[in-house]
Amino acid sequence: MSLVVANWKMNPQSAAEAKEIYSGTRRAAIKYKKVTTVVCPPAIYLQEFSRLKSKGVYLGAQNVFYEESGSYTGEISPYQVAGFGATHVIVGHSERRALGETDEVVNKKVLALHGAKLTAIICIGEAARDANGDYFALIRQELKTALKNVSKKNLLKNVVIAYEPIWAIGKSDADAIKGSDMHEMSLFIRKVLMEIYKDKKIFSVPILYGGSVTPANAEEIYLGGEVDGFLVGRASLSVPDFAAIIKIVHDAKRA
Ligand code: PGA
């Protein structure tokens, strides 16, 4: 099953706008049933959205803390977001890593999410590419640390890998990855999963691409990149653009 995830980041500014975008997204998602759509709004909107009928759309959070409860001012626990209907949580986004989230913290969050029976959307990606291909070593390291002590069962049921090269985030649609480069990366990610789990079942773990996905580049990356879907930032705040991306994934025919 293909998967398209909306990462609204710290947008929009008002609850009224948020509700409008969410309702429009839900209407689009219901039309394209072959695609699983997940909306990750700022956590303050989760309660309201979980009250609206969530048919056709799953809810996600953009971050959680790794403890269940306690004296952690400003943090939100996996159980709290689960209580408001979230089924997925983004972890290790490069914008959070830039604020100090390490691979070890990402791993703690993944384990905590699994404790609460939530799916972890684990973001990995290099800041820049070098001619020697050193970035592959960084991707391997990010994956291995994030998945430390994650059981095969949880990997297969509750993990999504989102490859988001930092150089492609927040740019124009022409700056996103090319399908052929994404294909190479998808193969590499599967190779590393195979190194860790030594089981062909790892092929069912969804791999997403994120970074300046728009309706203009989605088909080429989806088909050429052998990805299972997308993690979409800015374009997910425009209902027509996000609906177009879901439709592209829904209609795309792999050879
Ligand atoms: P973008 O963001 O689609 O706006 O580039 C993607 C992301 O950071 O998840």
Side-chain angles (χ1 to χ4, degrees):
M1 184 91 155
S2 304
L3 177 64
V4 178
V5 182
N7 175 13
W8 289 6
K9 308 192 179 182
M10 206 167 69
N11 303 295
Q13 296 312 302
S14 74
E17 257 180 293
K19 215 169 137 181
E20 206 175 297
I21 302 170
Y22 179 70
S23 303
T25 301
R26 194 159 55 85
R27 273 196 297 278
I30 289 169
K31 258 199 272 174
Y32 305 114
K33 290 197 176 59
K34 280 193 302 189
V35 178
T36 300
T37 303
V38 182
V39 176
C40 303
I44 44 163
Y45 298 135
L46 282 175
Q47 181 174 20
E48 169 88 16
F49 293 178
S50 70
R51 269 203 238 110
L52 300 169
K53 260 200 169 154
S54 70
K55 200 176 130 213
V57 176
Y58 290 88
L59 283 174
Q62 298 172 17
N63 181 38
V64 285
F65 194 53
Y66 48 74
E67 295 291 348
E68 237 174 83
S69 64
S71 305
Y72 304 103
T73 303
E75 299 290 355
I76 302 177
S77 86
Y79 292 90
Q80 289 171 323
V81 296
F84 285 123
T87 49
H88 294 67
V89 178
I90 298 171
V91 284
H93 191 282
S94 56
E95 288 156 13
R96 297 215 58 85
R97 291 181 189 260
L99 295 171
E101 189 157 303
T102 62
D103 286 342
E104 287 70 26
V105 169
V106 171
N107 176 241
K108 282 185 177 182
K109 291 185 176 182
V110 173
L111 296 172
L113 288 173
H114 289 161
K117 301 203 166 21
L118 293 168
T119 293
I121 302 173
I122 304 173
C123 298
I124 53 172
E126 75 282 0
R129 291 200 160 191
D130 53 288
N132 302 332
D134 287 349
Y135 55 93
F136 283 112
L138 177 114
I139 297 299
R140 174 183 274 116
Q141 185 55 43
E142 285 187 338
L143 272 172
K144 285 201 157 167
T145 312
L147 293 169
K148 203 169 161 216
N149 297 325
V150 170
S151 68
K152 196 189 292 177
K153 189 166 160 241
N154 271 325
L155 174 88
L156 299 176
K157 206 164 158 244
N158 289 320
V159 169
V160 172
I161 305 293
Y163 172 66
E164 293 213 313
I166 299 166
W167 49 264
I169 294 175
K171 299 281 166 42
S172 77
D173 53 27
D175 296 319
I177 202 164
K178 299 289 165 278
S180 53
D181 289 337
M182 185 61 226
H183 188 203
E184 189 184 30
M185 186 51 77
S186 310
L187 291 173
F188 181 75
I189 292 169
R190 299 216 185 278
K191 185 174 148 223
V192 176
L193 293 179
M194 195 68 180
E195 281 169 21
I196 307 171
Y197 290 94
K198 302 180 177 50
D199 187 331
K200 286 205 185 83
K201 289 198 186 120
I202 60 99
F203 281 93
S204 68
V205 176
I207 298 180
L208 310 182
Y209 167 75
S212 301
V213 176
T214 69
N217 58 26
E219 187 175 20
E220 199 267 330
I221 303 171
Y222 183 74
L223 291 177
E226 299 264 338
V227 287
D228 300 289
F230 297 113
L231 178 51
V232 185
R234 284 155 303 154
S236 69
L237 293 160
S238 151
V239 172
D241 281 1
F242 194 59
I245 293 167
I246 301 172
K247 182 178 184 333
I248 287 165
V249 170
H250 182 271
D251 294 348
K253 297 215 173 11
R254 294 200 199 271

